[in-house]
Amino acid sequence: MAKRDYYEVLGVEKSATKDEIKKAYRKLAIQFHPDKNPGDKEAENKFKEATEAYEILSDEQKRQIYDQYGFAGLDGMGGGGGGSYGSAAFHDFEDLFGDFGGVFENFFGGSRNRRSAQAQNQGASLRYNLTISLEQAVFGHKAEISFAHNVACDACNGTGGANGASRKTCPRCQGAGQIRQSTGFFAISQPCPTCRGNGTVIDNPCHKCNGTGVQSKRAKLLVTIPAGTDDGKRIEIPGQGDAGRNGGPSGDLIVEVRVAQHQYFERSGQTLYCAVPISMTQAVLGGDIYITALDGKKIALKVPAGSQHGKMCRIRGEGVPVPGTNKRGDLYVKLLVQIPTRLSSKARQLLEEVSAIEGENDSPRLTPLSELGD
């Protein structure tokens, strides 16, 4: 595959200054650095391509030869012709990225090798998905959950050492938990293979926990679901996640609440919705009906005379409790007018009399769709 022009690789003009070339390379190096794109071969190749271009164009002598003779003029000079590159680009890492004030190093993990072992041993937070009913979400609930998490090993009391053996600073990384390996003029941080990123090692590890200081154990907790809890609410229980290795602090347990779909009721914020059928005569004449609310109690609802199919009736204070208050939202009841498919002879006679009295329109006008509502 033919090489691309170095100026094209960096996206600069042939007349670009040294500072413009440095700025262009720095942008590409951050974008395609292997630490930021692990396993991405295309990004790795672009990083190498940009590094090679920068090595040539940042060196005045090599750049002059390249401008005059192209790639052919660079053969045998240790750059541009497929040889090694990067060693002569600059002598100090900070020369190119120092003005970032440490941001670049932090971004790629350079600062990770200076973190304390205690921070690295922080236990993981766990997530527990809890499904509850709509009634439990609206009116509150106490749910007992069972889950597995790591706790301090009972054989070594969380130290990781057998027979009271203590841990010592890793001789390879000096307690950092990270080592840095140079790739050209970049230093890439990786977990220390000797201590596996812990920063400490132990000569006589506990046989029960293999030196980790933790063991898996099942636990039960009673979780309080506040009245008015909505779907997707996250309840954080501090210190109930995994215990940290080697005596590190425990993580948290995050309970994520999922509210199951109800057969008759729907919820939107603090409002509840349901639907009830009424007869044709109830719709025409109006009257009182009784519906069963979400909590099972009977509620009276006055149906206005002349109610149309789909009419929404509001019942105040029978919706979802507002958290932190003694207020509740409202309940909306949708009226579904049922038209009888069979009539007794007496009912038919009466309806025919009503029809004759009221008169029927045999040429109804079309109704705009915008007026139909739901």
Side-chain angles (χ1 to χ4, degrees):
M1 182 177 178
K3 284 190 175 184
R4 289 198 299 155
D5 176 72
Y6 287 146
Y7 293 100
E8 179 185 346
V9 170
L10 296 183
V12 297
E13 298 293 334
K14 195 170 183 179
S15 58
T17 65
K18 193 170 183 178
D19 285 342
E20 289 173 336
I21 290 173
K22 179 187 291 188
K23 183 177 179 181
Y25 171 65
R26 181 170 57 186
K27 180 179 179 181
L28 293 173
I30 293 175
Q31 181 179 357
F32 297 115
H33 192 278
D35 271 5
K36 187 181 178 185
N37 304 276
D40 189 334
K41 196 66 178 178
E42 182 180 356
E44 180 182 347
N45 289 336
K46 288 184 177 181
F47 176 75
K48 291 179 179 179
E49 183 182 46
T51 301
E52 181 177 330
Y54 177 73
E55 181 192 6
I56 300 303
L57 299 184
S58 64
D59 185 294
E60 292 184 5
Q61 181 183 3
K62 291 182 179 181
R63 181 178 180 181
Q64 185 177 3
I65 294 174
Y66 175 70
D67 288 345
Q68 189 171 359
Y69 301 106
F71 293 116
L74 299 173
D75 289 343
M77 294 190 65
S84 62
Y85 56 87
S87 59
F90 62 118
H91 299 290
D92 185 2
F93 180 85
E94 297 296 329
D95 176 55
L96 188 61
F97 295 101
D99 57 336
F100 270 58
V103 173
F104 182 87
E105 187 177 9
N106 290 335
F107 184 77
F108 286 130
S111 64
R112 290 197 302 265
N113 66 345
R114 292 192 296 270
R115 292 189 306 177
S116 66
Q118 180 73 5
Q120 290 180 328
N121 291 333
Q122 168 79 36
S125 291
L126 304 178
R127 188 177 74 174
Y128 186 96
N129 293 327
L130 176 63
T131 300
I132 61 176
S133 67
L134 180 60
E135 291 92 339
Q136 292 170 338
V138 170
F139 302 112
H141 179 62
K142 292 186 180 296
E144 185 179 70
I145 63 174
S146 176
F147 62 99
H149 64 163
N150 288 336
V151 298
C153 175
D154 54 18
C156 64
N157 294 320
T159 65
N163 302 321
S166 61
R167 306 187 70 85
K168 63 181 182 180
T169 301
C170 175
R172 182 167 184 177
C173 67
Q174 299 300 312
Q178 300 277 322
I179 60 172
R180 304 187 72 179
Q181 295 181 343
S182 296
T183 58
F185 50 81
F186 278 96
I188 301 175
S189 296
Q190 295 178 337
C192 174
T194 300
C195 65
R196 298 183 181 180
N198 290 324
T200 58
V201 293
I202 193 165
D203 294 329
N204 187 18
C206 172
H207 296 293
K208 187 169 185 178
C209 66
N210 294 320
T212 64
V214 296
Q215 64 183 110
S216 181
K217 186 177 181 179
R218 293 204 67 83
K220 289 185 177 181
L221 280 178
L222 194 63
V223 179
T224 299
I225 310 298
T229 294
D230 209 345
D231 182 74
K233 178 178 176 59
R234 294 161 62 92
I235 301 174
E236 183 174 323
I237 306 176
Q240 290 298 322
D242 282 343
R245 293 193 173 194
N246 311 317
S250 298
D252 301 328
L253 176 65
I254 310 298
V255 178
E256 187 163 324
V257 179
R258 293 298 179 191
V259 180
Q261 186 175 4
H262 198 277
Q263 184 176 4
Y264 301 112
F265 290 87
E266 288 186 1
R267 175 185 178 181
S268 177
Q270 309 309 122
T271 305
L272 288 176
Y273 297 89
C274 68
V276 296
I278 60 173
S279 69
M280 179 180 63
T281 51
Q282 286 174 316
V284 173
L285 302 176
D288 292 330
I289 63 174
Y290 294 88
I291 65 170
T292 302
L294 183 63
D295 58 3
K297 69 180 179 183
K298 294 289 185 179
I299 303 177
L301 173 64
K302 186 173 186 63
V303 177
S307 292
Q308 301 298 306
H309 177 80
K311 177 178 176 59
M312 301 294 289
C313 297
R314 180 182 184 183
I315 304 178
R316 296 180 182 275
E318 292 295 339
V320 180
V322 180
T325 72
N326 58 358
K327 298 180 180 180
R328 291 178 61 177
D330 299 328
L331 170 64
Y332 282 85
V333 182
K334 187 175 185 177
L335 302 180
L336 306 178
V337 180
Q338 304 292 298
I339 305 299
T341 56
R342 293 184 179 181
L343 293 172
S344 65
S345 57
K346 179 63 174 177
R348 177 176 290 276
Q349 179 183 348
L350 292 174
L351 286 176
E352 287 175 349
E353 291 178 6
V354 172
S355 176
I357 293 172
E358 294 295 324
E360 300 294 349
N361 183 5
D362 58 5
S363 300
R365 297 177 62 182
L366 295 177
T367 300
L369 295 177
S370 59
E371 297 180 10
L372 295 181
D374 295 332

